[in-house]
């Protein structure tokens, strides 16, 4: 079976600053891949390049068999980029819910406006996914009436409602108070157990160890090490990986490593 995501020799520049340097990786069906590294390592930029929220400078990105070569020609491939975005569900650091819509309406919006689904069918899809993340009981509330953790769970349901091939998580707990992080991670672990393909940028080392089948380490725009959680956490080879995980190994993993 072909990879859901295949990235080959990806570079990204912001002006003269190179933030991704020759990054290549694959994500297979039902993989849970966590990307870790210090702040500024290029993790979020990598994720945003996959669905062209950031346009890559050089390289090749393939999602579910759809391939785009980075560079000037990418600007001419709007339909292909749109098709790739339909195959990738994105969950951001901030929740980005529509404040004037109820929880249910937020989750229905994508299927109705992007996929052209009729409202009755979209409501069923939305309710199913809200139940999946434990938020169906809040379906008639508005975002300002629910907690940050609940907002992020709604954001996950909204992404799932589009039936993506792969879920992309960009530090989904970084904007949450510590006591709310667990409820979001529990939903993500449940999705992993259900076989959802996931690429997760995270500082939560315990989640990476428990839920991932592969962990990737980035440092200054480069992919420097990858392996199973056991390999990476117990026997890191790269000196930068060793430094990153030092807090984890000294028993301070209750706090995110950044």
């Amino acid at each position: 079976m072909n990879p859901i995501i295949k990235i080959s020799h990806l570079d990204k520049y912001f002006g003269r600053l190179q933030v991704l340097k020759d990054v290549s990786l694959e994500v297979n069906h039902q993989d849970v891949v966590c990307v870790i590294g210090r702040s500024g390592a290029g993790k979020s930029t990598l994720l945003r390049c996959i669905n062209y929220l950031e346009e890559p400078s050089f390289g090749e990105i393939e999602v579910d068999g759809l391939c785009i070569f980075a560079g000037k020609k990418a600007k001419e491939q709007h339909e292909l980029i749109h098709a790739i975005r339909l195959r990738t569900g994105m969950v951001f650091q901030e929740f980005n819910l529509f404040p004037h819509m109820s929880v249910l309406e937020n989750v229905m919006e994508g299927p109705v406006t992007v996929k052209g689904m009729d409202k009755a069918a979209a409501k069923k899809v939305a309710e199913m996914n809200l139940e999946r993340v434990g938020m169906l009981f809040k379906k008639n509330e508005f975002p300002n009436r629910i907690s940050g953790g609940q907002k992020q769970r709604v954001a996950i349901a909204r992404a799932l409602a589009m039936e993506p091939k792969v879920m992309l998580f960009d530090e989904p707990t970084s904007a949450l108070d510590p006591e709310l992080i667990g409820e979001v991670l529990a939903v993500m672990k449940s999705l992993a157990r259900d076989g959802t393909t996931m690429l997760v940028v995270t500082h939560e080392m315990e989640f990476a160890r428990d839920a991932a089948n592969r962990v990737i380490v980035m440092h200054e725009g480069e992919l420097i090490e990858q392996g199973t959680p056991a390999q990476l956490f117990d026997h890191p080879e790269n000196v930068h990986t060793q430094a990153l995980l030092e807090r984890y190994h000294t028993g301070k993993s209750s706090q995110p490593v950044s």
Side-chain angles (χ1 to χ4, degrees), residues 85-89 107-112 114-115 125 129 157-165:
R85 287 174 177 167
L86 287 176
R87 287 162 169 77
T88 56
V107 182
M108 289 175 58
E109 182 68 10
V112 171
V114 178
K115 300 181 74 172
V125 169
N129 284 291
R158 179 180 58 185
L160 290 170
M162 296 297 288
E163 300 180 323
K165 296 289 185 176

Side-chain angles (χ1 to χ4, degrees), residues 177-196:
D177 294 332
E179 64 270 19
L180 301 177
I181 290 173
E183 65 185 74
V184 174
L185 295 180
V187 168
M188 294 171 64
K189 288 180 181 179
S190 176
L191 295 178
R193 289 192 297 269
D194 290 345
T196 304

Side-chain angles (χ1 to χ4, degrees), residues 119-224:
K119 289 188 176 181
K123 182 179 180 182
K124 290 182 180 180
V125 169
E127 290 179 337
M128 176 186 70
N129 284 291
L130 284 170
E131 184 171 20
R132 194 174 178 185
V133 302
M135 285 298 296
L136 185 59
F137 76 111
K138 292 286 189 178
K139 69 178 184 178
N140 294 319
E141 295 284 2
F142 285 81
N144 66 345
R145 298 290 301 274
I146 61 178
S147 71
Q150 290 174 333
K151 290 175 185 176
Q152 193 62 292
R153 285 153 64 191
V154 173
I156 293 171
R158 179 180 58 185
L160 290 170
M162 296 297 288
E163 300 180 323
K165 296 289 185 176
V166 58
M167 289 283 287
L168 307 176
F169 292 86
D170 185 9
E171 300 188 17
T173 61
S174 64
L176 299 178
D177 294 332
E179 64 270 19
L180 301 177
I181 290 173
E183 65 185 74
V184 174
L185 295 180
V187 168
M188 294 171 64
K189 288 180 181 179
S190 176
L191 295 178
R193 289 192 297 269
D194 290 345
T196 304
T197 307
M198 300 162 62
L199 181 59
V200 184
V201 170
T202 185
H203 290 300
E204 300 291 339
M205 296 295 110
E206 287 292 339
F207 174 82
R209 177 146 201 168
D210 293 345
N213 63 291
R214 184 154 46 99
V215 180
I216 289 170
V217 185
M218 293 189 67
H219 177 74
E220 295 184 353
E222 296 182 277
L223 194 164
I224 60 169

Side-chain angles (χ1 to χ4, degrees), residues 12-14 17-21 40-42 45 218 220-222:
K12 173 61 181 177
Y13 288 84
F14 290 107
L17 176 64
Q18 186 175 8
V19 293
L20 294 177
K21 305 171 184 177
T45 300
M218 293 189 67
E220 295 184 353
E222 296 182 277

